[in-house]
Amino acid sequence: MPTQLSTETLHGSLADPAISSMNLLNELIERYPRAISMAAGRPYEEFFDVGLVHRYLDAYCDHLRRDRKLTEAEITRTLFQYGATKGVIAGLVARNLAVDENIDVPAESVVVTVGCQEALFLVLRALRADDRDVVLAPAPTYVGLTGAALITDTPVRPVRSTVDGIDLDDLVHQLKLAGEAGERVRACYVTPDFANPTGTSMDVRARRRLLEIAAAHDILLLEDNAYGLFGADRLPSLKALDDSAAVVYLGSFAKTGMPGARVGYVVADQPVAGGGVLADQLSKLKGMLTVNTSPIAQAVIAGKLLLNDYSLTAANVRETAVYQRNLRLTLDALDRALGACPGVGWNTPTGGFFITVTVPFTVDDALLEHAARDHGVLFTPMHHFYGGKGGFTQLRLSISLLTPELIEEGVARLAALVTGRLP
Amino acid sequence: MPTQLSTETLHGSLADPAISSMNLLNELIERYPRAISMAAGRPYEEFFDVGLVHRYLDAYCDHLRRDRKLTEAEITRTLFQYGATKGVIAGLVARNLAVDENIDVPAESVVVTVGCQEALFLVLRALRADDRDVVLAPAPTYVGLTGAALITDTPVRPVRSTVDGIDLDDLVHQLKLAGEAGERVRACYVTPDFANPTGTSMDVRARRRLLEIAAAHDILLLEDNAYGLFGADRLPSLKALDDSAAVVYLGSFAKTGMPGARVGYVVADQPVAGGGVLADQLSKLKGMLTVNTSPIAQAVIAGKLLLNDYSLTAANVRETAVYQRNLRLTLDALDRALGACPGVGWNTPTGGFFITVTVPFTVDDALLEHAARDHGVLFTPMHHFYGGKGGFTQLRLSISLLTPELIEEGVARLAALVTGRLP
């Protein structure tokens, strides 16, 4: 038997509480399957249909046959064999970005990835050249960013967050502090639309100022846009406003396409000395990480794009209506149940999956367990998105998986928990 | 415009020749599409059939319905939603290992990955705890190991290779040298069956001695078994002989299942202090790298397993016959065409995809280009598997994609090149 492996002999990320945080949370949640879950940020399931997988595959094969003039042998090879590292559907993704987001980029700047998570890893891996390199991210932030930073040994410096998204004055301040500490800030991660976990968005003026700050300080912006589609009014993404290749755009099809395909992408059109763009470098890393994203999985996403004239906005009309309805119903229910409670408040996102609720007592995993066991309701303690270093009076509510009945009952149960804890 | 990105401001792996080596090689090869390719290690294509993808998906859904008693909603959720980080088919993989490899491991020690490449990354990431940590690998070695080592900042110390696989005396010597240099050898990567690129195999006695060396020096063995199935006589894998959890088994379905699914796995049943096994730690890393392997892609592989009573040996009867035939025909053709040439030789693998040819002149990428342009034949210069640091009189021939006619003509073209260069 080899010497037992231990925290000391395994990579440091494995000892960090953040990497276990979501697992522990999910385990806790799984122990209470009958509780109403306002915890999981998973997409709505009513419109899932296994038949669609077959239809999407067929639609992609038809496209290869009809539009690309491939022979049957070439079509089969496209699905079955190893494929191009950047992906076989990069062109279709670029077309989707033009149609839905008014983002105009060449297919060569797109790398199709195993979900947005692999894209995050690739970008952070590329940008961590030496020990001085750090990235900035709002606190609280998406755990996937924290995790990708951990496994690339990239320090993340937190930037204050407001109800209007990342605090740009604090961003400038943190850039100054990092410079004084001898750190080289490579990028700032940001989700301008309906951020996970807060649900906050940035207005257009703030987006433009963020681009100016990035240009002035010579940093990249890593724009995560997993939820932008699910809003009442669309604002231009940072990438759509970007005229100087400062924005690396992180795309997810998990909410707009299908989580089970595990297909995302990164747009990286930044020039690199010696030729090519950053996407070419990310592709080299991907070749040594996952070789290429499954063409079968890519074909499923391609089929959905093709059957909807390249528009995921069109493909998600029903889903967007559900999320908008759920958001409104949840905010209304919170208002009725907790509107008069001193010290209890929440933000009012106009899209996305999440609402931030603030309470005048501690929200930790023990409270979550109490909520699950004694009140039959689940949420996510916000401290998980601060790496356990803050957010102890906040919780995240997710509205994406619910029905009107579950929202009514879920908020009532939450209200019972909250009012029982008020001073 | 941000300061242009450059080698100096990107991760060191991107400046390493090894990470670009395969891309450059593939680009060269793509410029000569009409040359006979004895270069690509891709599986044989004649039996590919898009209809199989649909059948495999249906077979997996039937299994969930019939054997696992899932409702239609649960089946749909399994395919469409985010899934367990370790994979939804880990149990089926464990059963396949029992049937085909006589390896008996619990499903909990299996992590389903995005190809074997992600498995390599996860293991190296976990084992690189500090700057002392290194791994050993035979030279020449699979480029995927080199690449995963580069992006995890893991030094790889080469071990001599013989016609019988890794040189065990040199392994002991390298362990001693590493120890003297203050390095901590965490593992030795090895492919006991029909290794890529050499085609060499280890006999059972050597396998047992390797296990003893690993135990004596307290290192793990990372066993890559991508080609073991394609042999005339099967030998027990290291993992099947392993009674002390010294072997981490790296599994690929790229050659035995379908490359386009991009599904592989790792078996890591090593206990870890504090509870659980190494697979649990790898799963934590995977959660922050790709979240989970596409359940759609997993379902395709599962369907193939289910329709073949869990046996990939059974599923690959036709493919194995083709590879065996191609190997024999290629060795025969080499014998006829080059058997009398002084200084020209090759090994005689009994399975797998690859043959090593040694010649009395330099084999570099310029020679490959000459071969492609003027002789219409493609191979892989062996130096690509030495990280450009050796192997300059060897080349790798791959037999996996060929027909008897292409073998006859390809070897004739190669012989014309070789005999024209002899002194």
Side-chain angles (χ1 to χ4, degrees), chain A residues 259-276:
Chain A
R262 295 301 307 133
V263 176
Y265 60 94
V266 53
V267 178
D269 55 354
Q270 289 68 31
V272 174

Side-chain angles (χ1 to χ4, degrees), chain A residues 42-210:
Chain A
R42 301 179 160 213
Y44 192 67
E45 298 178 345
E46 183 187 339
F47 309 123
F48 288 174
D49 172 3
V50 174
L52 285 173
V53 178
H54 296 287
R55 280 188 58 206
Y56 292 156
L57 287 169
D58 288 339
Y60 181 61
C61 291
D62 284 346
H63 160 73
L64 294 179
R65 194 175 292 121
R66 200 182 52 234
D67 305 333
R68 301 266 305 279
K69 311 293 181 202
L70 265 50
T71 64
E72 294 307 308
E74 288 167 336
I75 292 168
T76 305
R77 186 179 298 126
T78 302
L79 287 188
F80 271 65
Q81 265 301 7
Y82 293 98
T85 311
K86 283 187 178 178
V88 292
I89 65 165
L92 302 181
V93 171
R95 189 142 172 199
N96 164 247
L97 283 170
V99 168
D100 275 341
E101 302 290 341
N102 201 24
I103 292 173
D104 182 25
V105 287
E108 293 68 35
S109 67
V110 175
V111 181
V112 180
T113 54
V114 181
C116 185
Q117 189 62 33
E118 187 190 28
L120 273 169
F121 174 87
L122 294 175
V123 174
L124 294 188
R125 175 72 311 176
L127 294 178
R128 174 78 171 164
D130 70 40
D131 287 350
R132 288 172 300 164
D133 294 323
V134 303
V135 298
L136 302 178
T141 202
Y142 172 50
V143 288
L145 184 273
T146 311
L150 280 171
I151 58 177
T152 56
D153 301 308
T154 307
V156 180
R157 305 293 175 226
V159 179
R160 222 167 69 83
S161 208
T162 73
V163 288
D164 302 313
I166 191 167
D167 182 330
L168 296 176
D169 292 330
D170 192 48
L171 171 60
V172 172
H173 182 61
Q174 295 301 331
L175 283 163
K176 183 163 168 287
L177 288 183
E180 288 167 2
E183 294 178 338
R184 182 165 64 174
V185 177
R186 304 304 305 274
C188 179
Y189 170 83
V190 64
T191 308
D193 295 277
F194 318 125
N196 180 5
T198 56
T200 56
S201 295
M202 300 172 70
D203 63 27
V204 176
R205 204 174 139 197
R207 291 172 199 232
R208 292 197 189 277
R209 191 174 159 221
L210 177 56

